[in-house]
Amino acid sequence: MAQLPQTFFDALAVRTWCGLALETLGRAREEIDAINVYPVADGDTGTNLYLTVESAVAAVEAVFAGHAAGSEAAVGAGRTGAWSSGAGGPGEPTLADAARAMAHGALIGARGNSGTILAQLLRGMAQVLADGETARADGRGLRLALRHAADSARRAVAHPVEGTVLTVASAAADAADGAEGDCGTVARAAYDGARAALAATPGQLPVLKRAGVVDAGGRGLVAVLGALVETFTGERARAVAGSACTGPAGVPHARVDPAEGQVLADVHAPADGAPGACTDSATAVPDQEGPAFEVIYLLEAEDAAVERLRGRLDALGDSLVVVGGDGLWNVHVHVDDAGAAVEAGIEAGRPHRIRITHFGAGDVHTTGAERPPRERAQRAVVAVVPGEGLAGLYAEAGATTVLARPGEPPASGELVQAVRRAHAREVVLLPNDADLRHTAAAAAEQVRTEGVRVALIPTRSAVQGIAALAVHEPDRRFDEDVVSMTSAAGATRYAEVTIAEHQSWTMAGICQAGDVLGLIDGDVAVIGSDLAVTAETVLDRMLSAGGEMVTLVLGDDVPDTVADRLEGRVREGYLAVDTVVYRGGRQGALLLIGVE
């Protein structure tokens, strides 16, 4: 899109930069994904950076829209007057407003390791740009912002590694420190410094040298800085090719533009051992794996609690990045025990927007080991779950999860992204909600066009999904596995106990706001005033038709005494029926019940 160059860093410059960065990452996304080998070869760095900036753009646009609406209302009411020195003018936000919105949007939308670090880089810049409520920043202000961004991002990473986006960010800040002039001059210096640092990353990280690529996160940052140059000069930053060998053995190597990720020309690889030589990733590999899960969540917590959380998560896994502040944080870590990582967040504060990804057999952590990137797992399970506790339970069983918060069902695009994160040739999709069946079907159709074989099992409750996962065997034929999982889910009756929000007609009569409702297979079957008594009645009705296993999933507000009472009821009244109890977290319903 055509943009007039900005002389100073003001609110409009923030808006322009975010929009241009999104466009640039959109063009480079697939190429950046293709060179993603560190810290995990899961091929999603470009996508994660794009989604992070997309969230920042949405937040900035919302601020501009809000100010425009306020201005129109003021004019309509006949109110006029002088604007404060920090304002951008009638209908425009201040620099502080726009910068804070950019940082907040990136924080809540950050995806993956590189996206989380980029969010902290933007937050670091915003902290300087918003300081003092000035209307605009000059070249000196931009230099300070870039330095604070690089330093704060490095502090956010538990164990900084050179040859990554952190190195590129520091080089950009160093180059900017030596530049005198306006914002355009400083931005170009930062871009050139970042570009040079990016080209040197294969010499700093063995995994990059083996794969013959530059760091994917660093390449994404160079693209973002190129958009900053365009913001202040009106010119697209000049791309200088860096040598990066790509492709498996036997495939021609390519010269790649480190800013845009575009293949410029085929080149011949140097002779083995010659300066600049690179080896194909297929040749490299000690057989060592890293943690099995990526866990990401937003966390509302105090600073002291977050410091304790850092220590606990650092002991659980690697690739730990905790960014944010002022009570809201984005937590990213790779662990073997996803449930423990979520529980640590619950102890620290209130985690939400939890995303847990199980790295497939072909995805590897390359801290200390490198293997060929982009190898897909044969099969994966993707499930929608209603609570943090269930997310951890499903993840431990090997599923990639999508968290559905009360009143916020996931869109088909979120399910598509989850299937892509699962990175498998065959995927079993469990919507775990009757209302999500069409959404899940749309997502399945989309990923089928990408060559993924998808089976949608119409689970209507998380307890049906648990039953399906219990019989999941990835080593048997896909069709056999799907039939077995579908049969297990279909043989599980499901119920939930919840609180009525308002007066309503139901299958069991009229309920009032505050009544305890027992729903069996989706219909209200019991109306009561006591949680435990209503739950007992529901359980008795379900077991009257027989059953061998009872699954109870308790919400955060349900005391353990309710589970004890229900377990006792089953033990005393129903011979040879087993009971298993889980904590589901903030799952919407007070209690989920499954009977197999």
Side-chain angles (χ1 to χ4, degrees), residues 285-589:
V285 261
D287 189 16
Q288 178 183 347
E289 295 186 6
F293 301 101
E294 177 184 59
V295 178
I296 307 173
Y297 49 79
L298 290 179
L299 178 69
E300 296 175 17
E302 299 298 326
D303 291 4
V306 171
E307 282 305 310
R308 292 191 295 271
L309 175 67
R310 289 180 195 269
R312 182 168 176 185
L313 292 180
D314 193 28
L316 285 175
D318 59 31
S319 297
L320 173 61
V321 186
V322 181
V323 304
D326 301 320
L328 182 63
W329 309 81
N330 192 306
V331 178
H332 170 281
V333 67
H334 295 171
V335 294
D336 280 321
D337 189 344
V342 174
E343 289 170 5
I346 293 173
E347 291 180 7
R350 189 178 81 86
H352 52 100
R353 294 197 184 185
I354 298 171
R355 292 190 297 273
I356 300 176
T357 303
H358 179 253
F359 294 119
D363 298 334
V364 343
H365 291 247
T366 50
T367 44
E370 301 87 28
R371 291 199 286 189
R374 304 290 292 161
E375 180 66 26
R376 289 183 178 270
Q378 181 59 36
R379 190 173 308 158
V381 176
V382 173
V384 180
V385 292
E388 298 91 342
L390 282 175
L393 175 66
Y394 271 72
E396 288 174 0
T400 295
T401 62
V402 179
L403 188 65
R405 300 178 66 197
E408 298 181 20
S412 62
E414 293 179 72
L415 299 186
V416 169
Q417 286 297 330
V419 171
R420 289 172 178 164
R421 291 200 313 270
H423 203 54
R425 299 181 181 89
E426 302 167 341
V427 172
V428 179
L429 184 56
L430 306 175
N432 290 338
D433 186 335
D435 293 335
L436 286 178
R437 184 171 181 179
H438 295 300
T439 300
E445 284 302 315
Q446 180 173 340
V447 294
R448 285 180 185 125
T449 64
E450 300 174 9
V452 180
R453 188 180 184 188
V454 181
L456 171 60
I457 297 178
T459 48
R460 294 173 289 176
S461 170
V463 291
Q464 288 189 323
I466 291 172
L469 268 179
V471 300
H472 169 53
E473 293 185 15
D475 292 333
R476 64 184 164 197
R477 291 180 57 249
F478 185 62
D479 291 339
E480 292 176 357
D481 197 28
V482 171
V483 168
S484 178
M485 294 176 72
T486 302
S487 297
T492 302
R493 299 189 69 198
Y494 65 97
E496 66 177 75
V497 180
T498 188
I499 302 296
E501 295 181 357
H502 48 74
Q503 185 185 64
S504 180
W505 290 88
T506 75
M507 297 287 289
I510 301 175
C511 71
Q512 304 296 328
D515 282 348
V516 181
L517 305 181
L519 291 78
I520 299 177
D521 293 336
D523 293 322
V524 176
V526 181
I527 300 175
S529 58
D530 181 82
L531 171 60
V533 172
T534 303
E536 276 189 340
T537 304
V538 169
L539 190 54
D540 285 339
R541 292 195 184 184
M542 297 178 74
L543 287 171
S544 65
E548 299 176 354
M549 170 71 76
V550 172
T551 300
L552 303 175
V553 184
L554 280 64
D556 269 352
D557 298 327
V558 179
D560 291 333
T561 54
V562 173
D564 295 338
R565 181 168 173 172
L566 294 177
E567 284 188 281
R569 180 79 168 187
V570 173
R571 187 167 52 250
E572 294 169 7
Y574 303 94
L575 296 176
V577 177
D578 295 322
T579 305
V580 60
V581 180
Y582 302 110
R583 277 286 178 183
R586 285 172 286 275
Q587 61 186 19

Side-chain angles (χ1 to χ4, degrees), residues 102-139:
M102 171 187 71
H104 181 74
L107 176 68
I108 64 174
R111 304 292 184 93
N113 191 68
S114 293
T116 306
I117 293 173
L118 177 61
Q120 187 68 6
L121 288 167
L122 296 180
R123 176 180 171 81
M125 291 190 69
Q127 287 175 322
V128 173
L129 296 174
D131 185 37
E133 299 291 333
T134 58
R136 60 188 189 181
D138 56 12

Side-chain angles (χ1 to χ4, degrees), residues 21-58:
L22 188 65
E23 287 186 6
T24 304
L25 288 171
R27 292 191 298 268
R29 180 181 63 81
E30 291 185 2
E31 287 82 0
I32 295 174
D33 282 347
I35 64 166
N36 173 203
V37 297
Y38 181 88
V40 181
D42 50 357
D44 62 0
T45 291
T47 297
N48 287 337
L49 290 170
Y50 179 88
L51 292 173
T52 302
V53 173
E54 185 179 48
S55 183
V57 168

